[in-house]
Amino acid sequence: MSARTPTPVDVAIVGGGMVGASLALALAGTALRVVLIEAVPLDAASQPSFDDRTTALGNGSRRIFEALGVWRHMSAQAGPVREIRVSDAGRFGAARLSAAEQGLEALGFVVSNRHIGAALWQALAQRPQILVRNPARVLEVRLESEAARLAVRRASLGAESTAVAADTEQFVARVVVAADGAQSLVRAAAGIAAMVEDYRQVAVVVHVATDRAASGVAYERFTPAGPLAVLPLADGRYTVVWTLTPERAAQVLALESSAFIAELQRSFGWRIGRIRQAGACASYPLSLSRAESMPGQRAVLVGNAAQALHPVAGQGFNLGLRDAALLAEMLAAAPDPGAPAVLEDFERRRAADRRGMVGFTDGLVKLFASERPGVALLRSLGLTLFDLAPGAKDGLARLSWGFGGDTPRLMRGLPVT
Ligand SMILES: Cc1cc2nc3c(=O)[nH]c(=O)nc-3n(C[C@H](O)[C@H](O)[C@H](O)COP(=O)(O)OP(=O)(O)OC[C@H]3O[C@@H](n4cnc5c(N)ncnc54)[C@H](O)[C@@H]3O)c2cc1C
């Protein structure tokens, strides 16, 4: 390890994925000295955050991205969701949520993670006051009462984009932000345990083209194996998030293209017309992970490092972005951004939204997974009642703004400071 003097910063963000990059951009207009450290190059096939998935952004997230000046670089590729249709395979009861009935342009927007990444990282490239280290991996974090110390291994890329040389660098920060995902190294360094519940489900993600171009309708179909979400893309295709048992996912992933399409069509039905083409599949084992105690000394957790959710309701990133938006304004306003009082106040102000969204998502997964006759009947009745109850629909449409707690300034269209 290099004996060089550590570089002093106010905020060290570990992880430049969806949430970490958004936080760095939110802090770019403040007086804080910030370093953003991301292990994997943005355009690498192995980038774990900006991969081939798509993200359904709620209206609250759109507002944050507008305030950060990046929405205009995403909007052309954003597929608006104007209606959501929910059904329970093999049972009566269905529900419909429409943007027009809620007085909204759209209930959300589906954008590919790669487009989100490109917009965020291009904006960061215009902000030289943010130190960026990429590709660079944080190897060690030591937390002290006055500072966090980080050892970072930088890789310099050779002509063939393979790492040919590595170099270590040290930072001393007043606060370290864990934006390093569900397996967070920073969380472990802070001695914070995570509660992990394996759902024993795998999400198979694939883009499909059908004989009817997508036109703003999203579908959520609950099946005994798990939920199947079909979301409209801006280019007329759909993205499918197909949740299956691990055994079934392995079988489906082994099918050649026409057999895969036939199986998907059989499971989903014909609501989107005939599936003509399916792209490459990616798969994600699903679990709920939640940090058990927060914050740590000079350390604070955001996004998946704090809570990683099942994608059933498309809320994980939206929740993490609200973490980032509120944290940015609180760090910018504090004389010492790593002071225990600041970090504790952040946890207090984020608690209701986090608890509500974790409970809602987990409850939905379990409610629709149950095949007990009483539960299945209640579920069908629940969907029917929901469809008839405008109050319930208003509540669901408002989820986009969070489950309570403080609304961050960026989400109100205001600058961070
Ligand atoms: C199938 C699927 C579909 C989803 N759909 C939606 C959706 O529609 N809407 C929604 O809101 N959410 C959705 N989510 C959830 C969403 O993807 C996550 O909430 C989001 O990716 C969390 O971002 P993050 O930046 O916190 O963590 P990650 O995406 O895990 O990023 C962490 C980053 O940290 C970096 N890193 C890790 N360790 C280190 C280290 N030691 N040093 C440096 N860098 C490091 C990694 O390289 C990575 O880039 C979905 C999730 C899945 C699995």
Side-chain angles (χ1 to χ4, degrees):
M1 190 166 294
S2 151
R4 267 184 284 165
T5 321
T7 306
V9 293
D10 296 307
V11 184
I13 304 171
V14 182
M18 303 263 282
V19 174
S22 303
L23 174 64
L25 194 58
L27 289 170
T30 71
L32 295 169
R33 288 164 303 168
V34 178
V35 63
L36 174 67
I37 306 155
E38 167 55 42
V40 185
L42 180 66
D43 54 359
S46 59
Q47 223 303 323
S49 202
F50 304 118
D51 59 8
D52 292 332
R53 275 174 298 174
T54 56
T55 294
L57 298 173
N59 283 307
S61 296
R62 172 198 168 152
R63 178 75 69 79
I64 292 173
F65 281 151
E66 275 170 348
L68 291 176
V70 286
W71 175 250
R72 63 181 188 276
H73 302 299
M74 298 176 197
S75 56
Q77 283 90 22
V81 177
R82 300 210 166 84
E83 191 176 312
I84 301 176
R85 295 185 193 164
V86 183
S87 57
D88 195 0
R91 305 203 171 264
F92 77 91
R96 217 178 108 260
L97 187 63
S98 132
E101 281 170 20
Q102 298 295 323
L104 297 169
E105 175 200 345
L107 295 162
F109 297 85
V110 185
V111 190
S112 81
N113 287 20
R114 291 204 191 275
H115 277 124
I116 296 174
L120 290 171
W121 278 77
Q122 273 160 24
L124 279 170
Q126 313 294 316
R127 306 298 189 103
Q129 67 271 41
I130 303 287
L131 289 178
V132 174
R133 296 292 183 263
N134 174 238
R137 181 171 290 278
V138 174
L139 299 179
E140 193 186 341
V141 177
R142 277 207 330 267
L143 300 169
E144 300 168 358
S145 61
E146 296 303 315
R149 296 182 181 277
L150 287 81
V152 177
R153 188 168 190 268
R154 295 179 70 171
S156 42
L157 298 181
E160 299 87 29
S161 276
T162 49
V164 292
D167 179 13
T168 57
E169 192 179 10
Q170 315 224 3
F171 290 91
V172 57
R174 293 207 283 173
V175 63
V176 58
V177 182
D180 51 348
Q183 313 296 327
S184 174
L185 171 132
V186 180
R187 189 180 65 215
I192 299 173
M195 183 286 291
V196 180
E197 183 181 344
D198 184 353
Y199 283 123
R200 294 241 343 113
Q201 291 183 342
V202 171
V204 173
V205 178
V206 62
H207 290 358
V208 300
T210 68
D211 60 2
R212 274 187 246 145
S215 59
V217 181
Y219 301 85
E220 182 92 43
R221 185 158 177 75
F222 289 93
T223 77
L228 204 173
V230 178
L231 307 172
L233 298 174
D235 63 8
R237 290 180 304 157
Y238 289 92
T239 187
V240 175
V241 182
W242 191 6
T243 313
L244 296 160
T245 61
E247 298 74 21
R248 187 77 191 110
Q251 287 169 354
V252 158
L253 287 166
L255 294 173
E256 51 82 27
S257 182
S258 59
F260 176 88
I261 288 174
E263 194 53 37
L264 177 58
Q265 189 96 61
R266 201 185 57 74
S267 294
F268 182 69
W270 295 87
R271 295 162 192 79
I272 55 173
R274 177 180 295 281
I275 302 171
R276 288 189 178 286
Q277 255 185 352
C281 293
S283 63
Y284 302 82
L286 300 178
S287 54
L288 166 66
S289 144
R290 196 172 32 169
E292 282 187 338
S293 62
M294 293 190 271
Q297 176 172 265
R298 296 273 155 190
V300 58
L301 277 50
V302 292
N304 272 18
Q307 66 277 314
L309 314 182
H310 192 293
V312 59
Q315 292 297 332
F317 173 66
N318 290 295
L319 181 65
L321 186 60
R322 294 196 290 278
D323 286 345
L326 186 71
L327 185 63
E329 74 185 54
M330 292 184 68
L331 296 182
D336 173 0
V342 176
L343 305 185
E344 278 157 21
D345 197 27
F346 170 73
E347 298 309 332
R348 191 185 52 72
R349 292 170 66 180
R350 288 297 299 139
D353 190 14
R354 284 169 157 175
R355 199 175 41 242
M357 206 53 88
V358 168
F360 171 70
T361 303
D362 187 50
L364 209 56
V365 174
K366 288 173 180 160
L367 174 68
F368 280 93
S370 175
E371 280 308 298
R372 284 171 35 213
V375 177
L377 177 64
L378 280 176
R379 202 164 64 204
S380 300
L381 287 171
L383 276 181
T384 309
L385 286 174
F386 173 85
D387 201 46
L388 298 171
K393 292 188 178 184
D394 294 351
L396 201 65
R398 274 200 303 272
L399 269 193
S400 183
W401 302 93
F403 243 104
D406 294 9
T407 304
R409 287 173 61 83
L410 287 169
M411 213 159 87
R412 286 183 270 140
L414 301 171
V416 168
T417 52

